[in-house]
Structure formats: structure tokens, C-alpha cells
Amino acid sequence: MIERYTLPEMGQIWSTAHKLQTWLQVELAVCEAQAELGRIPQEALQEIKAKAAFDPARVLAIEAEVKHDVIAFLTNLNEHVGEAGRYIHLGLTSSDVLDTALALQLVASVEILQARLADLIAALREQARRHRHTLMIGRTHGVHAEPITFGFKLAGWLAECLRHQERLARLREVVAVGKISGAVGTYANVPPQVEQLACARLGLKPDTVSTQVISRDRHAEYVQTLALIGSSLERFATEIRHLQRTEVLEAEEYFAPGQKGSSAMPHKRNPIKSEQLTGIARLLRGYAVSALENIPLWHERDISHSSVERVILPDASILCHYLLVNMADLVRHLQVYPANMERNLTLYGGVVFSQQVLLALVEKGLSREEAYRLVQENAHRAWNQPGGDFRANLLADPRVMAHLSEAELQACFDPRRHLTHLDEIFARLGI
């Protein structure tokens, strides 16, 4: 794991101590189920619950000798429990504990991610509402297209995050699955009733059919969902990076008092957080490939997935958490410059209103081909030219003005036309 970026909220879930605590939770839940079914004495259960404890350092020391993590844990657990410890892990295999406990960690992680995504959604909703009517240029291929509002752009981000909210809700159900079915999953030494009772105590559902492990498609879906969230956040971060370019400067990251942008150039204000989030999203997507490759295990199990998951599940969870926390902060404190948006919108005499002029000429009876040719000719004479002015070009072109009055031409340059259905769009998001 990247300790430097471990946030306590998520890092705690993936700590060694917490992992061992979930193992103990599973073992105790199984003992309670066994006792309820009369498979172990109630007196033994009470002794186990009273004495059950572990020492992470001692577990690691034992593991160094026996080369088996679960055996090391059970050995240390029995050092605390004593005679009644013979009823612990009765009929189980290691993966019963490992996979069921891992489900507890995954569920806890999803719940944290849901909370942090909710923070980002709240920040996006507030900024979208604030800039609902803040006009700016929409871009396609990186080139000026037609007017939009900054709130509309953020509404698109919000809609995407709401879909992620739905995905996380579904993901919680996908990963909230345990298995207490013994070696190769046949329940030969532990009946299905134990699994049902233990999983119910842990807030999990029994896996429909397991081998010795829970099939790794569930874990791959977990990592893929986090990678999908990361890709969306990278999209947002990439947009902010573009908007902060000096020649654009329609929005920029908050620059704190005392912050420095460059060791050489004092004037620099760089989009460092957006760039950092972009890089982390790339790393997160890479873990999705590893998770997919974990699915095809040999026969009823092997452990080729185990070493991979020890890296990708904690890291993916922590990285996605980091992305969500920092994107919410970035959006909440984003600096927006409406004057610069207006300046860019009206470059070259409002050349971005070319479609409105085209449609107006078509409505006057010109063929689309002829109208397109006239508008494009005047637009290209203004495009990227010193003092280029599309509207002035049109006013001076008798071929255009033979069909449009000056007032009709002026109406083509009214950006309010592009806000006509804005309320309808925002209503879909409850803004």
C-alpha cells in the first residue's frame, strides 16, 4: 500500500490488526452457529467468547515459522483460549475464514466510499446550482462549438456520479457474501446451516455455490467499479486542467496563501491536484486488469489470487477514497471566472453562433448547401484572424443580408436560445 496516501478512515479497514479482527469475528460467528445447532457445548462457546484474543506481532512471529497465516492466527488464538480452543475452526478450511472476513472488509470499504461519493455529489450539486446560468463556450474536439453554461457542464458530472452511487449500492450486495462450506465447498464437515447462521450474524449472505473459495468475479467487479469511478474523476480533473490553461482560464484550482507553483517561476499557478488525481486514476485502472486475471483459478482453488489481492484490494480502496475526498474538495473550492468565459464565448465576433445563422437562412428559403457555404465563408474569414468579426462579416455580405434583417441577424447571436431547456435538464437532477 502507498502509506503516504493512506487516509485513516479507509486505511484502518485494511490494517493488519483489523484484518485479524475480522478473522476473529468470523470464527466467533461460526462457533455461535455451531453451538446453536448443538455441535459444540454452550460452556465451550462462553469460554471462547470470554478469552478470545490475538496479538498481531505474535501472529506474525508464528507465521514466520509455520508459513501459513491462518494457522498462525489460530495458534495464537488458542494460546489465549486454552482447552475450549479445540472447538474453534471445527470443520472449516482457511478460505472459509479468509473469504468471509474479506467480505466484511469490502462491505466496510464500500460504505466509506458511498459516504465520500455523497460528499462529492453535494459539492457538485451546489456548484451546478450556483452556475446554472453562467454562460461559457461548449467545446468539441477541443474546439469552440456552441454556448452552454458551466452549471450544465457540472450537471453532467453530477449525473455521472449519481450513476456511480447506484453502482456502489449494487456493489455492496455483490461483495456481502460469505462461505462456510469447508474444503472444496461441499459442506462435508460443516453443514449449510452453520453457514446460514454465521453469515446472518455477520450481515452477509451465503454464496450460492462456492468452491473452496468464493469465485473472484465478485472481487473483480469491486475493483472494476472503483476503476470506473476513478475514470470519471479523471475526466473531471482533465476538464479542470484544460479550463485552467493560461489562454483559457475559465476556472482554476484554489491557490492557497503561501502556496508556491514553481521553484523557478514565481508566477506559476499549476493544476497540481487535478494532475495528481489524473495519475492516480491511471494506477487504479491498472488494478482492474489484475482483478480480472484473478478469476481463472485452477480447479476448486489455488492461491495465485491471494498475493495479488493483498496489494490491489487495499490499494484500490485507498486510492478511490483518496480520489473522492480530494475531488470533492477541489470542486467545493473551485475558482470560476465568468468574465473570462464571456470573453472566450465571443471570440471572432461570435463565430460560435454559426448554426443559428445557418438555420435562419434555411428558414428564409435557401437550400442548406447554399446557406452552409455562405455562413462558413464568413466564419472562416473571421476565424483566427486579427480583428476577425463574424457578425461584421455577415452584416457586410449582401448575399446574407438580402434574406435577413439586421434584427433577425442580431437574434441569431442571442445566447439565451441555448438556455431554453436548461430548467428541464436540471429538473431531472432535482436541482
Side-chain angles (χ1 to χ4, degrees), residues 199-419:
C199 284
R201 282 177 165 82
L202 296 168
L204 306 174
K205 293 180 180 179
D207 195 9
T208 309
V209 180
S210 65
T211 61
Q212 190 156 317
V213 297
I214 292 174
S215 296
R216 259 40 203 176
D217 62 293
R218 295 180 184 273
H219 307 77
E221 185 171 349
Y222 176 84
V223 180
Q224 284 183 296
T225 301
L226 271 54
L228 191 58
I229 293 171
S231 293
S232 290
L233 301 191
E234 183 181 4
R235 182 172 87 87
F236 308 162
T238 299
E239 180 69 15
I240 292 169
R241 289 167 62 195
H242 169 75
L243 297 179
Q244 188 163 336
R245 291 169 61 184
T246 307
E247 62 272 24
V248 178
L249 201 56
E250 294 176 353
E252 69 173 338
E253 296 180 9
Y254 174 71
F255 200 83
Q259 184 175 340
K260 304 293 190 293
S262 166
S263 64
M265 298 167 284
H267 71 276
K268 294 281 281 180
R269 292 160 66 104
N270 302 325
I272 56 172
K273 183 169 286 189
S274 298
E275 291 174 339
Q276 183 186 68
L277 299 186
T278 297
I280 288 175
R282 295 171 187 168
L283 181 60
L284 186 53
R285 280 198 298 278
Y287 289 146
V289 175
S290 300
L292 289 171
E293 292 181 349
N294 269 357
I295 295 174
L297 303 179
W298 284 17
H299 306 301
E300 279 57 61
R301 77 160 297 194
D302 62 56
I303 61 166
S304 61
H305 65 288
S306 178
S307 57
V308 179
E309 289 178 355
R310 289 175 190 232
V311 175
I312 68 172
L313 293 181
D315 273 16
S317 303
I318 290 167
L319 291 174
C320 190
H321 183 229
Y322 183 90
L323 285 168
L324 287 168
V325 168
N326 282 276
M327 180 56 74
D329 181 72
L330 198 162
V331 169
R332 195 176 295 115
H333 299 103
L334 191 66
Q335 307 297 293
V336 181
Y337 304 120
N340 290 349
M341 291 177 174
E342 183 179 1
R343 177 201 67 199
N344 293 335
L345 179 63
T346 56
L347 281 175
Y348 312 129
V351 72
V352 297
F353 296 99
S354 66
Q355 182 176 191
Q356 299 307 319
V357 180
L358 166 67
L359 295 175
L361 289 172
V362 170
E363 289 174 1
K364 292 293 186 176
L366 271 70
S367 70
R368 180 177 176 83
E369 291 74 17
E370 176 62 14
Y372 193 103
R373 185 181 64 80
L374 288 174
V375 174
Q376 184 184 54
E377 180 182 319
N378 282 284
H380 284 187
R381 282 198 296 114
W383 186 263
N384 201 30
Q385 299 298 317
D389 192 327
F390 176 54
R391 179 160 35 188
N393 291 350
L394 292 170
L395 284 168
D397 190 335
R399 298 169 300 172
V400 173
M401 300 313 295
H403 302 282
L404 297 176
S405 69
E406 191 169 332
E408 288 172 328
L409 180 63
Q410 181 64 30
C412 295
F413 289 80
D414 185 354
R416 289 175 297 180
R417 179 191 300 268
H418 299 272
L419 309 184

